[in-house]
Amino acid sequence: MVDSDTEKMAMPEATVDYEKGNASSIDEDAMKLAEMGYTQDMKRNFSVWSVLGVGFSLTNSWFGISAAMITGINSGGPLLIIYGIMLIAMISTCVGISLSELASALPNAGGQYFWANELAPKKYANFASYLTGWFAWWGSIFTSASVALAMGSALVGCWQLGHPDFVIKTWHTFVAYQIANIFCFFFNCYGKTLPKVATITLYTSLISFLVILITVPAVAPTHQHAKFVFATFINNTGWAEGGIAFIVGLVNTNWSFACLDCATHMAEEVHRPERMIPIAIMGTVAIGFVTSWFFSMAMFFSIVGDFSNIGATATFVPILELFYQALRNKGGAIFLEVLIIATGLGCLVASHTWQSRLCWSFARDRGLPGHKWLSQVDKRLGVPLYAHFVSCVIVAIVGCLYLASLTAFNSMITACIVLLYISYAIPVVCLLVKGRSNIKPGPFWLGPFGLVANVVLLIWTLFTLIMYSFPYAKPVKSSNMNYVSAVYGVVTLIMAIDWLVRGRKSFRGVGERKSDVNEVIDVVRRASVTESVH
């Protein structure tokens, strides 16, 4: 941790209400940003609660478990989920510490791509930053697509439960996917309301969690025994090795703790981000673990009869079938699923916020084609509208793959996890190469514990890159093949072509940014004077 004298020197001079996120004038945050080579284009309207709302609404671990819980049963059973959550939560704590340290030392909306550019050896800085930015953005696109699919499946499943003669087809879910994507698009079109939306989605998630946690076990006519919940390992994958089956199933649990970098990309929309962003990241991990573990335990105890009947439901939404068997009432089951849908829509809104900030910040440094438009912030709406629109259009296009192959689409869910880990690993490698003692730490700095967290993050990234590429089941067929390697190949190909054709010449790296600092500082000072006059 930095000492108290350093903290006092870093305190903004302007009068700021940090709880509400307001400032009387342009404060020291804008000047710190200018010293990095960026102007203050976004309004700092977010409080620590609304940033936590965005971060947790996106990661939303209990919601992720609700979507993947029964799927994971075939690859490890309840034991996988109960203890897998503990394992992933510990790893996510290390990931959160690594991200929080960097966000505290170098608070910037670019997040991991900016850190890579600052920390990498000068010769490789631009390429390392460019790789990180592309991996992070594609990870966010695939995340939004996976959440939109979960919403589409839930909506169609509710309809099927209420109309038993209805047979779900692929195109039904596809249409619901696109409706969810379009609906959530509009919530990110007006900057002033976003903090309130983020706070509302946070409370919606927590209230929905409590209602379901209390209701389902209370009304279930029978309950599973403790041995089923805590000691039952099931392997229906075809893998002879139980360990491989466990790892294959762990993908579902890992998805529930993905996207921890979300809050880092809000660094230019909250005051004192060097303190607030780490609070949001670590708070997301803590709340995520508590909610997901207790949710899983309560749902497993509440399974009525044979769990295989839940997995074979005509709704294709196992958690909805679990609700129906526990409540023995379709209306009640649909109501509880609507709570999950409301939580999921909040998750998708947060994902749109995240992907748009990634796209916008990366485009500022000319990391993407069309950067002149993607880097613009709409002054009237207060959001990077072009970046938001283009990102959502790509999510809509990616959804078309679902019509062609569910297996291939599911591979993108795995890709969203691993690509994000790679985007975290690159700046951490750069940090370790540079030396942790050779950068100025922020208020959140854990010294030796931070080093351990960095090493765990790197080991886990390598582990997931290899092990999450294994086929989901054996014998391997085209219908159950893991196509994640092909996804990596396509992303890498697109990235390589853009780098060779455009990126290596136009990308704005650390050298160019440093040369622009004096000019940017003058712009910020003039803006400060203008605001004071008005």
Side-chain angles (χ1 to χ4, degrees):
M1 297 287 186
V2 294
D3 57 36
S4 57
D5 293 336
T6 306
E7 289 183 14
K8 290 176 183 177
M9 290 173 63
M11 289 287 284
E13 295 179 4
T15 302
V16 181
D17 185 338
Y18 296 109
E19 185 65 30
K20 295 182 179 179
N22 300 323
S24 59
S25 63
I26 295 182
D27 56 35
E28 194 169 321
D29 293 323
M31 193 58 69
K32 288 179 182 177
L33 189 60
E35 291 169 359
M36 299 177 189
Y38 300 97
T39 55
Q40 180 71 60
D41 296 323
M42 303 291 285
K43 298 292 185 182
R44 295 186 184 266
N45 294 325
F46 280 75
S47 68
V48 65
W49 282 108
S50 50
V51 172
L52 176 61
V54 174
F56 177 73
S57 294
L58 175 57
T59 300
N60 232 327
S61 300
W62 79 266
F63 159 73
I65 290 294
S66 75
M69 182 173 65
I70 304 299
T71 306
I73 280 187
N74 290 319
S75 304
L79 184 145
L80 164 75
I81 304 296
I82 295 296
Y83 299 106
I85 288 174
M86 294 180 180
L87 172 63
I88 298 298
M90 288 189 290
I91 292 168
S92 295
T93 299
C94 293
V95 174
I97 289 171
S98 299
L99 295 178
S100 295
E101 284 190 329
L102 289 170
S104 184
L106 299 166
N108 186 282
Q112 54 266 51
Y113 97 81
F114 173 79
W115 305 332
N117 201 230
E118 287 284 313
L119 300 173
K122 188 175 181 180
K123 183 179 179 181
Y124 306 106
N126 282 10
F127 186 62
S129 177
Y130 184 86
L131 278 178
T132 306
W134 272 91
F135 284 141
W137 187 48
W138 275 108
S140 70
I141 294 294
F142 293 151
T143 300
S144 292
S146 65
V147 177
L149 179 63
M151 290 298 89
S153 300
L155 289 167
V156 175
C158 286
W159 179 264
Q160 198 285 331
L161 184 62
H163 303 78
D165 295 332
F166 179 71
V167 178
I168 297 176
K169 297 182 179 179
T170 302
W171 71 267
H172 296 145
T173 305
F174 170 76
V175 171
Y177 169 106
Q178 299 296 357
I179 290 173
N181 188 45
I182 294 170
F183 174 76
C184 291
F185 166 83
F186 293 103
F187 286 90
N188 272 279
C189 289
Y190 190 55
K192 286 187 177 181
T193 59
L194 264 180
K196 291 181 180 178
V197 170
T199 304
I200 290 171
T201 56
L202 171 63
Y203 288 119
T204 297
S205 176
L206 295 178
I207 292 171
S208 299
F209 160 75
L210 289 173
V211 170
I212 295 172
L213 184 74
I214 295 169
T215 302
V216 177
V219 302
T222 61
H223 296 89
Q224 297 289 339
H225 49 77
K227 183 178 179 181
F228 171 79
V229 177
F230 295 107
T232 302
F233 182 81
I234 298 169
N235 180 6
N236 293 330
T237 63
W239 285 99
E241 304 84 358
I244 299 296
F246 184 92
I247 292 169
V248 169
L250 202 58
V251 173
N252 299 290
T253 307
N254 209 155
W255 182 67
S256 304
F257 282 86
C259 320
L260 290 177
D261 64 297
C262 175
T264 69
H265 305 291
M266 309 303 293
E268 295 172 34
E269 298 176 64
V270 63
H271 288 286
R272 296 178 73 186
E274 66 276 4
R275 293 181 179 277
M276 302 306 170
I277 300 304
I279 291 173
I281 293 173
M282 300 311 295
T284 294
V285 176
I287 299 173
F289 168 68
V290 172
T291 55
S292 62
W293 195 82
F294 281 100
F295 178 84
S296 300
M297 182 180 64
M299 294 306 104
F300 282 133
F301 271 117
S302 303
I303 291 177
V304 177
D306 190 345
F307 78 90
S308 61
N309 296 331
I310 295 175
T313 175
T315 65
F316 296 144
V317 184
I319 194 68
L320 175 59
E321 182 66 20
L322 189 155
F323 292 159
Y324 176 51
Q325 292 190 11
L327 273 66
R328 293 155 293 166
N329 181 281
K330 290 184 178 180
I334 291 173
F335 173 77
L336 294 183
E337 185 64 24
V338 166
L339 292 180
I340 289 182
I341 291 172
T343 300
L345 291 175
C347 178
L348 187 53
V349 169
S351 191
H352 283 178
T353 305
W354 172 48
Q355 69 184 15
S356 66
R357 282 2 179 227
L358 259 170
C359 180
W360 160 72
S361 60
F362 195 35
R364 287 189 305 185
D365 289 320
R366 304 191 289 272
L368 295 170
H371 56 81
K372 290 183 179 179
W373 295 278
L374 296 176
S375 62
Q376 293 180 20
V377 175
D378 189 295
K379 300 299 182 184
R380 185 169 54 89
L381 299 176
V383 295
L385 192 60
Y386 290 134
H388 175 44
F389 177 77
V390 169
S391 296
C392 287
V393 168
I394 295 175
V395 172
I397 294 171
V398 165
C400 296
L401 183 60
Y402 178 75
L403 290 173
S405 170
L406 173 60
T407 304
F409 188 93
N410 285 339
S411 296
M412 291 190 302
I413 297 176
T414 303
C416 87
I417 299 169
V418 179
L419 289 178
L420 289 173
Y421 278 141
I422 293 173
S423 78
Y424 306 158
I426 293 174
V428 168
V429 168
C430 295
L431 172 65
L432 297 181
V433 169
K434 186 180 181 69
R436 287 173 55 87
S437 60
N438 293 325
I439 74 165
K440 182 181 179 181
F444 186 94
W445 190 260
L446 300 187
F449 295 104
L451 176 60
V452 172
N454 293 162
V455 173
V456 170
L457 167 59
L458 296 181
I459 292 173
W460 185 250
T461 300
L462 182 61
F463 178 84
T464 57
L465 180 62
I466 297 170
M467 301 305 296
Y468 285 4
S469 299
F470 277 47
Y472 303 119
K474 293 183 72 176
V476 180
K477 303 175 183 177
S478 59
S479 59
N480 64 9
M481 180 61 186
N482 188 346
Y483 293 100
V484 70
S485 297
V487 176
Y488 299 152
V490 171
V491 170
T492 303
L493 179 63
I494 294 172
M495 188 167 52
I497 292 173
D498 184 64
W499 172 256
L500 294 173
V501 173
R502 186 199 60 82
R504 61 193 176 95
K505 298 176 183 178
S506 64
F507 184 67
R508 179 177 178 251
V510 63
E512 188 177 345
R513 277 194 294 103
K514 296 299 184 184
S515 65
D516 293 341
V517 165
N518 290 335
E519 181 181 343
V520 174
I521 288 176
D522 287 340
V523 171
V524 171
R525 283 174 176 165
R526 286 197 298 270
S528 179
V529 171
T530 302
E531 287 233 347
S532 298
V533 171
H534 290 291

